Structure formats: structure tokens, C-alpha cells
Amino acid sequence: MPLTPLDIHNKEFGRSFRGYDEDQVNEFLDLVIKDYEALIRENKDLQNQLVTIQERLNHFSNIEETLSKTIIVAQEAADEVKNNSKKEAQLIIKEAEKNADRIINESLTKSRKVAVEIEELKKQASIYRTRFRTLLEAQLELLSKEDWNSLERMEVEQP
């Protein structure tokens, strides 16, 4: 069992013939009691401080653990957002490629159709030109014939 200041105060020593001076011993014991009480108070204060510091340490450890978990959750969320963004970007690219292919195919189809129409128009223009030339040549031939010349020479009789 630990020694208390009261134990020191109540301690009595037996007397002997050539013993120590009782007043000096009592004065020294009083000093020991004061110092011992001061040490006990200081020890209690230190224990109280230790408890307070331990509570604060536990509090900060809990905060640290919470922050660590929060950082992990945030990192996981960031990774998920990143992965979702990549997937969405890939889908957008695929959709854009499909649209581009569709537009290219439509453009090729239209250009082929226009080319066919141009060829058809060229043929029709050539046919028209040939027919018109034939018509003009026929008309020129008619104008060159003698019948026209004889009509010009004829006189019209008046009644």
C-alpha cells in the first residue's frame, strides 16, 4: 500500500539513548510531508492532464479515421465519376461515328443520284440538240427547195 502524508505525519519513532534530535526529525518530516503532498498533487494534476490529453487524442483519432473514410469514399466516388465519364464519352463517340457514317452514306447516295440525273440530262440535251438540228436542217432544206423560189416569183391576181 502506498505511503500517504498522514502516514508520515503519524509515524512515531522509538527513543534511544543517543538518538536523533526530535525537533530536527519533526522539522525534516514536515518538509517531507509538504514535498510529498506537492508531489501527490502534481501527480494527480498530471494524471488529470493525461486523461484530458488522452480524450483529445481519442477525439482526434476519431476525426482522423472519419477523414480517412471520407477521403476513401470521395476517391471511390471520383473514380466512379471518371469511369462513367469515360463510358459516356465512348458512347458519344460511337453515336457520332454512326451519325457520320449515316451522313456519308446519305451523301454518297445523293451524289450518285445527282450523277445519274446529270447523265440523264446530258443524254436528253444531246437528243434534244440532235432533234433540233434535224428540224433546222429540214426547215433549211425546205427553204432551199424550188417550191419556195416559184412562190416568190408568182404574182397574185387581183379580181
Side-chain angles (χ1 to χ4, degrees), residues 67-151:
L67 287 175
S68 293
K69 288 178 182 178
T70 303
I71 289 171
I72 290 170
V73 168
Q75 183 64 42
E76 289 172 353
D79 290 343
E80 186 176 337
V81 166
K82 183 179 173 183
N83 290 335
N84 288 341
S85 296
K86 283 182 181 179
K87 287 178 184 176
E88 189 174 339
Q90 289 173 348
L91 289 175
I92 289 170
I93 289 170
K94 285 181 182 178
E95 187 66 29
E97 287 173 349
K98 284 181 186 178
N99 285 339
D101 287 343
R102 182 184 50 78
I103 291 169
I104 289 171
N105 288 334
E106 287 176 0
S107 297
L108 287 173
T109 302
K110 285 181 182 179
S111 69
R112 286 184 193 122
K113 187 177 179 181
V114 167
V116 168
E117 288 176 2
I118 289 172
E119 286 301 316
E120 185 61 33
L121 287 173
K122 284 181 182 179
K123 286 179 188 175
Q124 289 177 4
S126 178
I127 292 169
Y128 174 76
R129 186 173 167 210
T130 304
R131 286 184 182 169
F132 191 65
R133 178 180 285 140
T134 304
L135 177 66
L136 284 177
E137 287 173 353
Q139 292 300 317
L140 280 173
E141 190 178 316
L142 276 176
L143 288 172
S144 311
K145 283 190 178 179
E146 277 300 312
D147 292 341
W148 276 107
N149 290 334
S150 63
L151 279 175

